[in-house]
Amino acid sequence: MTLADRITHHPRPFDPDRAGDAIATAPWAAGPLRDLIGGTAGCSPYLSGLIAQQSDWLQGAVDDPEAALAQTLADIPQIPFADLGPGLRRTKARVALLTALCDLGGVWPLETVTQALTDLAAAAVDACIVPLVAAEITRGKLPGMTADDAASAAGMTVLAMGKQGAGELNYSSDIDLICLFDDDRFEPEDTATARAAFVRVTRRMCALLSDNTEDGYVFRTDLRLRPDASVMPVCLSMTAAERYYESVGRTWERAAYIKAAPCAGDLAAGQRFLDSLTPFVWRKHLDFAAIQDAHDMRLRIRDHKGLGGKLILEGHNMKLGRGGIREIEFFTQTRQLIAGGRDKSLRVRGTLQGLDRLAAADWIARDVQQQLTDHYTAHRTVEHRLQMINDAQTHSLPSDDAGFDRLAAMMDMDTADLRRDLTERLEQVHTLTEGFFAPGSAAPAAPADWGQDITGRWPDYPALRSDRAVQIFRRLRPGILARLAEAAKPDEALINFDAFLAGLPAGVQLFSLFEASPALTQLIVDICATAPALAQYLSRNAGVLDAVIGGDFFAPWPGAEALTQGLSEAMSVTDDFETALNTARRWAREWHFRIGVHHLRGLIDAPAAGQHYADLAQAVIAAIWPIVCADFARRHGPLPGQGAVVLGMGSLGAGRLNAQSDVDLIVIYDADVWGNSDGPRPLPVRSYYARLTQALVTALQAPMADGKLYEVDMRLRPSGKQGPVATSWSAFRDYQQDEAWTWEHLALTRARPIAGASMLIAGVEAFRHTLMNAKGKGDTVQTDVADMRARLASAKPAQGNWDAKMGPGRLMDVELAAQTAALVTGSDLRDVPGQIAAGVAGGWLSAAQGDALAQAAQLFWQLQATGRLLTGGVLDPDALGEGGRRLVLRETGFETMDALEHAMTQISAAADAAISARLGAGS
């Protein structure tokens, strides 16, 4: 039957105009199919785009959706490797569109929809693995393997974990994978070589699937479920994995393997590995200890995600929140762990299948199974609708009325009915599942004292896994609790300390450090009482505390030049490139933490913190660049011509970053573009500098054993995303003089040379000065900026009154005016206060206008920098906690949050008026 013949319902168009546009792109659709396409597009901008993009293919697919899906998946192995990335993305778009229409039209049940998405994921992973392994065999990097071994991926297998393993992949899910190889296929002395090859395969596979290109992405990949992910390679031998699970495997890992399934590569080897883990996953005895472990896991998730408390629909997390999907999954998997060792019928992957088997074996009542099955299906349906809107990996309900109206339209429900149904289902799930865990929490305990409901979870945290850690922490615990109780808001401090402790991977060394230095304990308490974001950072990077006990942690700031020298010296004593990059990551983490602590303690203010973060980024890039060039030159020869310069743009160029900032960079090279490099593997000059630039980006942002340094944004280069990542000096000059838009000239007002050839740096600086003097006199500058301002205001509205960055007269608006002032007056100054002052000195701004902009720049930077330190996002006074609010008031100089909010409104209005007076409203 055709898709149209089976439609039972369809969304109502939330956006009639978008619906009409979609129908126009599919003139072949009629009747219910036409209504389905219009309703779908009218509710989902993402699906509207796919309908327009895939209309011709969709016209044939709707005749037999099952056959179309099967053929689309069958075509995946035939995609040439050279076209694999774009080809998989086209396939993803088609499968996503077809499954969405079949889902929204009631044509396919939930199980068919999720299985279609799961089958796509498996086929995509296998399509990457097999040719990548074949290439390693061809290069001789897999000893003993021949071309005949490529079909089985030379023993490499990929395990699908979580929802993919269970055939339950949701609409915009990432995929959790564990990559292993069968080391029995290699001689012992060849295992390390093989592992290195399989690690390369894994990384390239992830890039092929995850990179967000102009064609989109295939699947976001997550490899963190592998054994000891913080230190283990991304692909490890089966022997190493087995040893890990035998020695330190934990309850949550047992639960994860309930759903595990081989999905790509050597499927037989993958199944053999899973079979070997049977004793680990399925204990022979009835394992009631799993109840407490699962309960603690649930509570940790709630605390970490801030999902506790009563049910509020706005923003509620349908996956992790109260009464959500995870509650049903934990309920099911915990019972499977308890009894699955004795009853093999319970060893199934799917959640609904597990509930059915539990009811059949009388582990749960049949009516409970039926209710949870119904709620699970409803929850997953809502989750899919939320994700379909913008292809976002979200599980949260809308936060406003318009969002609920859109969701209701997508589900063809009345908004009030939808709210009522969601509330009833969430509360019923919570009631059905919470009772199962209640006996553990109601067990006899010592007399109640402050925080016992939280501290009772601590023995199960990874940091307290060893007896030694428990012994040390037992001595520390009274003092820690006493200090937490003295905080302005003790309960908030305890919750944040709990999150910090839960995030620690190990405890012995850190607890020993606390014991040796009591001042550290007070520092941790101060952080937990004030800055949850900094506490979370600390739990992931506890090694930075070693720096606190050093003699210079509270010394004056050394400046960018001294920092560059210090990092260069630290990296110079390493043995290889990778070790140098990990050294840089550890070094930068310590300095980054130092800045945050100094700001938190009031040793520096927001402007100083901004300068320090920028100095740190500049030092990292300046020190990293020479070792990246040296490593690249070892393979491809020294830098051709006069070399290259790295320009810091945006906030980095302006010398002001916050705790969460990425870095904007441009690379310019001066060489004959028709030449070649002179090295063992010579490259054309254009390719040389493009690949060198990518090597720099990778060195800065690639996750390694010690994390990453910075996310890098290169969109400010000539022609943006469409332009080459590295630009020749002549092309850069020509572009800026003849083709660049006014906004690109504005960006150059903040361009700062960070690293590179000194002669080229001097040339770039001289050209920047000359260009700005010439372009600032253009007749259209102010009109162009006014138009740009209007577009920014439309595209990026403020997220509430406490948004320091977006909105009229707020930080971005003021910075735009400051850059305009610098361009119009020909000023070389890059910092915001300096550019505003240049605007006044040059007569472009009146003194009063300059004062209005300067006040706004100061206040909103204080709020932006402090907000990013405290919470990592936009300030929310109600969520800050007492300690955070005190820091905000101390930083801004106000007595109350109400007074601060009032001042924000007045100051932004004054700045808005000043900017509008100079620029107008735009067209």
Side-chain angles (χ1 to χ4, degrees):
M1 294 175 66
T2 68
L3 188 153
D5 293 334
R6 291 181 279 169
I7 294 173
T8 61
H9 53 261
H10 60 77
R12 301 190 309 273
F14 179 75
D15 183 340
D17 291 340
R18 197 186 296 274
D21 291 343
I23 291 171
T25 65
W28 42 264
L33 181 58
R34 182 178 184 274
D35 295 338
L36 173 61
I37 288 175
T40 297
C43 290
S44 166
Y46 169 68
L47 292 173
S48 174
L50 291 187
I51 290 168
Q53 179 191 109
Q54 299 292 336
S55 177
D56 292 342
W57 175 84
L58 183 61
Q59 181 177 4
V62 296
D63 290 338
D64 188 342
E66 288 80 9
L69 174 66
Q71 187 59 55
T72 302
L73 296 179
D75 289 342
I76 290 177
Q78 310 308 317
I79 300 174
F81 185 75
D83 189 48
L84 188 58
L88 286 176
R89 283 156 176 78
R90 287 191 297 272
T91 300
K92 164 68 179 298
R94 292 174 175 178
V95 174
L97 176 57
L98 184 62
T99 54
L101 291 175
C102 289
D103 189 356
L104 293 168
V107 177
W108 288 350
L110 175 66
E111 294 82 357
T112 304
V113 172
T114 58
Q115 190 62 58
L117 297 168
T118 301
D119 291 344
L120 170 65
V125 173
D126 196 63
C128 295
I129 291 295
V130 171
L132 289 172
V133 170
E136 294 292 333
I137 293 174
T138 301
R139 294 173 58 219
K141 300 300 183 180
L142 288 170
M145 298 293 108
T146 68
D148 293 336
D149 296 298
S152 64
M156 180 179 177
T157 189
V158 181
L159 302 181
M161 309 297 288
K163 286 183 169 61
Q164 185 188 353
E168 299 172 340
L169 211 55
N170 60 44
Y171 194 77
S172 295
S173 178
D174 59 3
I175 52 176
D176 296 291
L177 306 175
I178 293 180
C179 298
L180 306 168
F181 69 94
D182 184 359
D183 45 321
D184 287 342
R185 294 181 66 165
F186 300 91
E187 297 296 329
E189 60 271 18
D190 294 330
T191 300
T193 301
R195 180 176 60 244
F198 288 128
V199 166
R200 287 192 295 273
V201 168
T202 302
R203 288 174 175 165
R204 291 196 64 194
M205 176 266 292
C206 290
L208 279 168
L209 295 176
S210 302
D211 285 354
N212 203 345
T213 70
E214 61 183 6
D215 300 311
Y217 66 99
V218 188
F219 286 99
R220 294 171 290 263
T221 55
D222 191 334
L223 306 178
R224 291 175 295 177
L225 289 183
R226 70 184 185 275
D228 218 348
S230 62
V231 296
M232 287 288 197
V234 292
C235 184
L236 64 158
S237 71
M238 293 182 179
T239 299
E242 289 177 27
R243 288 173 179 167
Y244 168 86
Y245 292 121
E246 289 173 357
S247 58
V248 296
R250 288 160 286 176
T251 299
W252 72 263
E253 290 168 309
R254 293 173 56 209
Y257 270 95
I258 292 177
K259 293 178 179 288
C263 74
D266 192 337
L267 300 180
Q271 189 57 53
R272 287 195 300 272
F273 174 77
L274 292 180
D275 292 342
S276 72
L277 291 189
T278 298
F280 164 68
V281 179
W282 306 110
R283 303 290 169 83
K284 294 181 179 179
H285 53 82
L286 294 177
D287 187 12
F288 284 100
I291 297 177
Q292 188 61 44
D293 289 341
H295 184 46
D296 292 341
M297 196 184 316
R298 294 164 66 243
L299 296 178
R300 281 197 296 270
I301 291 173
R302 287 182 186 176
D303 291 340
H304 180 68
K305 299 289 186 180
L307 301 173
K310 67 177 183 178
L311 174 63
I312 299 174
L313 285 185
E314 282 73 13
H316 184 75
N317 192 309
M318 291 297 296
K319 177 181 178 181
L320 301 177
R322 179 186 178 98
I325 295 167
R326 183 58 56 84
E327 300 279 12
I328 301 174
E329 291 174 341
F330 273 15
F331 178 91
T332 306
Q333 292 170 12
T334 303
R335 282 169 167 76
Q336 288 177 280
L337 286 178
I338 291 170
R342 299 281 292 271
D343 186 349
K344 293 183 180 181
S345 72
L346 302 180
R347 301 179 187 179
V348 292
R349 297 186 177 102
T351 301
L352 297 184
Q353 189 181 14
L355 285 169
D356 183 66
R357 295 289 183 89
L358 288 165
D362 291 329
W363 279 96
I364 61 174
R366 180 59 72 177
D367 67 319
V368 171
Q369 174 262 324
Q370 292 170 346
Q371 291 180 66
L372 289 179
T373 295
D374 180 54
H375 294 321
Y376 181 81
T377 302
H379 281 8
R380 291 297 306 275
T381 299
V382 172
E383 179 187 52
H384 278 198
R385 304 299 179 268
L386 293 169
Q387 295 178 347
M388 285 177 185
I389 294 172
N390 286 308
D391 188 30
Q393 189 188 3
T394 182
H395 310 279
S396 297
L397 291 172
S399 57
D400 57 20
D401 291 341
F404 270 97
D405 290 342
R406 181 190 292 270
L407 180 61
M410 204 167 192
M411 301 186 71
D412 196 23
M413 294 178 67
D414 178 77
T415 303
D417 292 340
L418 173 62
R419 285 178 171 273
R420 188 180 308 110
D421 185 69
L422 286 169
T423 301
E424 291 175 356
R425 290 185 181 279
L426 290 166
E427 291 292 3
Q428 288 173 19
V429 169
H430 179 73
T431 300
L432 288 169
T433 58
E434 191 72 13
F436 172 62
F437 298 101
S441 59
D449 57 25
W450 174 67
Q452 188 174 7
D453 57 331
I454 291 177
T455 61
R457 300 194 297 269
W458 290 356
D460 297 305
Y461 288 175
L464 291 161
R465 190 186 303 162
S466 71
D467 292 340
R468 175 63 176 153
V470 171
Q471 292 171 5
I472 300 172
F473 190 73
R474 186 178 294 124
R475 297 193 294 269
L476 292 169
R477 176 173 165 148
I480 291 174
L481 289 175
R483 287 180 169 86
L484 289 168
E486 293 171 355
K489 289 285 186 177
D491 292 341
E492 294 172 359
L494 179 59
I495 289 170
N496 292 332
F497 180 82
D498 177 67
F500 159 75
L501 191 63
L504 292 174
V508 172
Q509 294 185 3
L510 182 60
F511 297 156
S512 298
L513 189 59
F514 284 174
E515 197 167 36
S517 179
L520 276 182
T521 305
Q522 188 60 53
L523 175 60
I524 296 300
V525 169
D526 290 347
I527 293 172
C528 290
T530 308
L534 189 59
Q536 292 172 11
Y537 174 87
L538 190 56
S539 71
R540 298 190 302 268
N541 303 282
V544 301
L545 288 172
D546 291 342
V548 180
I549 61 175
D552 59 354
F553 186 81
F554 292 102
W557 184 248
E561 185 176 346
L563 289 170
T564 303
Q565 181 178 350
L567 176 55
S568 298
E569 291 174 353
M571 291 190 294
S572 68
V573 298
T574 58
D575 296 326
D576 54 59
F577 182 64
E578 185 171 346
T579 305
L581 294 185
N582 272 317
T583 298
R585 281 154 169 75
R586 291 191 296 271
W587 180 92
R589 278 206 312 261
E590 291 183 357
W591 283 101
H592 193 277
F593 178 66
R594 180 190 192 273
I595 299 168
V597 170
H598 281 218
H599 192 188
L600 189 69
R601 286 282 181 91
L603 301 176
I604 57 176
D605 58 12
Q611 181 65 58
H612 293 181
Y613 284 124
D615 284 351
L616 177 59
Q618 180 176 334
V620 167
I621 296 166
I624 287 283
W625 173 248
I627 70 164
V628 170
C629 291
D631 182 72
F632 196 79
R634 183 173 52 82
R635 297 187 299 277
H636 304 294
L639 276 66
Q642 301 301 312
V645 59
V646 181
L647 294 183
M649 307 293 288
S651 296
L652 173 60
R656 191 169 74 172
L657 298 179
N658 63 59
Q660 306 288 328
S661 290
D662 58 7
V663 293
D664 297 281
L665 301 178
I666 288 179
V667 174
I668 301 171
Y669 64 90
D670 188 10
D672 178 7
V673 296
W674 303 111
N676 292 296
S677 65
D678 183 15
R681 293 156 57 187
L683 292 170
V685 166
R686 285 193 176 114
S687 298
Y688 184 102
Y689 281 107
R691 291 175 59 177
L692 175 62
T693 300
Q694 190 56 56
L696 172 64
V697 173
T698 300
L700 292 171
Q701 72 179 20
M704 299 180 67
D706 290 292
K708 64 174 66 175
L709 288 164
Y710 294 97
E711 291 290 339
V712 179
D713 191 336
M714 302 198 72
R715 288 176 294 177
L716 292 178
R717 66 185 186 270
S719 299
K721 290 182 178 179
Q722 285 71 43
V725 293
T727 307
S728 73
W729 178 214
S730 60
F732 181 82
R733 294 196 305 268
D734 292 342
Y735 179 87
Q736 293 293 341
Q737 288 171 336
D738 303 327
E739 300 179 42
W741 297 74
T742 297
W743 72 262
E744 293 175 289
H745 295 144
L746 291 179
L748 277 186
T749 67
R750 307 210 287 185
R752 180 188 301 273
I754 301 294
S758 57
M759 289 183 62
L760 184 54
I761 287 175
V764 169
E765 275 296 87
F767 172 75
R768 187 179 81 95
H769 178 76
T770 302
L771 181 79
M772 288 170 56
N773 273 288
K775 296 298 182 180
K777 297 179 174 63
D779 295 333
T780 65
V781 170
Q782 293 186 191
T783 303
D784 290 346
V785 176
D787 289 343
M788 186 189 322
R789 185 187 184 216
R791 288 196 299 271
L792 286 172
S794 175
K796 297 183 177 181
Q799 300 178 38
N801 196 45
W802 287 92
D803 190 336
K805 184 175 182 181
M806 301 299 182
R810 305 290 169 120
L811 197 58
M812 179 174 284
D813 204 23
V814 172
E815 289 181 349
L816 182 66
Q819 292 169 59
T820 306
L823 181 62
V824 169
T825 61
S827 171
D828 281 333
L829 294 173
R830 300 178 176 91
D831 63 292
V832 176
Q835 290 180 336
I836 293 172
V840 174
W844 189 72
L845 293 169
S846 69
Q849 290 168 340
D851 287 343
L853 294 186
Q855 285 187 53
Q858 177 179 351
L859 176 63
F860 290 115
W861 174 253
Q862 290 170 333
L863 292 169
Q864 177 79 350
T866 307
R868 290 297 190 267
L869 173 68
L870 294 177
T871 67
V874 174
L875 280 175
D876 179 356
D878 295 332
L880 269 182
E882 182 64 21
R885 288 190 289 270
R886 289 186 178 187
L887 176 58
V888 170
L889 294 175
R890 184 196 75 200
E891 181 67 47
T892 58
F894 287 89
E895 292 293 329
T896 67
M897 297 299 285
D898 288 341
L900 171 58
E901 186 175 18
H902 180 69
M904 290 170 62
T905 301
Q906 287 189 318
I907 290 174
S908 63
D912 178 27
I915 299 169
S916 297
R918 294 305 302 137
L919 298 178
S923 61

